[in-house]
Amino acid sequence: FPSHDTEGNGATKSANVIFNIPAAQTITLTNPGNKVYGAANFTASATSTSNLTVSISSLTTSVCTVSSSTVTFIATGTCTVAADQLGNTTYAAASQVTQNITVGKGTATFTWANVSKNYGDAAFTVTAPTSATAGTYTYSSGNTSVISISGTTFTVAGVGNSVITATFTPTDATNYNSGTTTTMTITVGQGALSITFGTAPSGVVVSETAGTHSVSATTTPSSTGSIVFSSTTATICTVNSSTGATTAVS
């Protein structure tokens, strides 16, 4: 631009001035989709047309936090992630870009082992399902003729299989879904019976009337079935298979 000679000689001087106007840049922030509470942390991805490093931050720290570019969810709600690039001598600061991520309630996961019992076993309690999420369970039996349940007490009612359902109530119902279920199977096998003889008859003689003496027996646990008697020394005595009446042979 022209300037006047300050020395008063009327001469005109000129100079060239260069203005450095930073170039514009734009940010692209990848949409990660909606998330659920308890989900793994994820790395936010953002780029700029300037190829300069984009910084990531959280505008909703009560729902999510950001460390470097790693996003961690700490509650349900809307997580707003912001991407910024402040520019340099070549590029002007970019307009901030934000992304809203809906964080829904998480769903607890479980492991639960099957159980084996035998008919005649005493009432029992089961080990609760294993979960990383704290909470309580209520139980129901899919086959009450095999397993009946009262609260947390399980009773064997018959032989067979019963699918047991555990319904979960989380301690943190704000961030986890209630009513989640998991199942396992209780298999009940046949019980074992032991037989105990009563007092053995004495004074049996060959000439007496058949059935004057008899043997008796009971089962443990008590059973409604019948006990079948037999003699292992048939040349000495015989026994009635249903009544236990004994007869001396020789």
Side-chain angles (χ1 to χ4, degrees):
F1 57 88
S3 62
H4 296 288
D5 183 5
T6 58
E7 296 178 357
N9 58 16
T12 301
K13 298 180 179 179
S14 64
N16 293 325
V17 178
I18 299 174
F19 292 95
N20 184 18
I21 301 175
Q25 60 171 324
T26 57
I27 294 172
T28 300
L29 179 60
T30 302
N31 185 352
N34 294 334
K35 300 289 183 178
V36 295
Y37 182 78
N41 300 341
F42 81 97
T43 301
S45 175
T47 57
S48 171
T49 54
S50 67
N51 291 322
L52 297 174
T53 301
V54 177
S55 62
I56 307 293
S57 62
S58 170
L59 301 183
T60 52
T61 54
S62 63
V63 176
C64 59
T65 60
V66 176
S67 176
S68 183
S69 59
T70 300
V71 181
T72 301
F73 302 113
I74 59 175
T76 57
T78 300
C79 166
T80 302
V81 174
D84 293 279
Q85 215 306 305
L86 300 180
N88 58 14
T89 57
T90 303
Y91 288 94
S95 297
Q96 185 182 72
V97 175
T98 60
Q99 188 72 251
N100 289 332
I101 304 167
T102 299
V103 183
K105 286 187 176 184
T107 299
T109 58
F110 313 93
T111 56
W112 203 17
N114 294 331
V115 173
S116 294
K117 291 290 179 179
N118 289 320
Y119 185 76
D121 285 352
F124 61 98
T125 58
V126 298
T127 301
T130 300
S131 177
T133 306
T136 58
Y137 301 88
T138 56
Y139 303 99
S140 62
S141 172
N143 188 349
T144 54
S145 65
V146 174
I147 294 290
S148 62
I149 302 174
S150 177
T152 57
T153 300
F154 290 63
T155 301
V156 174
V159 175
N161 298 317
S162 179
V163 176
I164 307 301
T165 299
T167 302
F168 180 66
T169 300
T171 301
D172 182 4
T174 300
N175 293 312
Y176 284 99
N177 290 310
S178 296
T180 307
T181 61
T182 187
T183 62
M184 64 88 162
T185 299
I186 297 179
T187 300
V188 179
Q190 291 182 323
L193 290 175
S194 62
I195 298 175
T196 303
F197 276 104
T199 303
S202 61
V204 180
V205 296
V206 174
S207 61
E208 71 181 353
T209 304
T212 300
H213 297 279
S214 63
V215 292
S216 63
T218 57
T219 62
T220 302
S222 178
S223 171
T224 57
S226 59
I227 297 175
V228 177
F229 298 95
S230 63
S231 173
T232 59
T233 54
T235 59
I236 304 297
C237 66
T238 61
V239 61
N240 184 290
S241 61
S242 58
T243 66
T246 59
T247 301
V249 176
S250 61

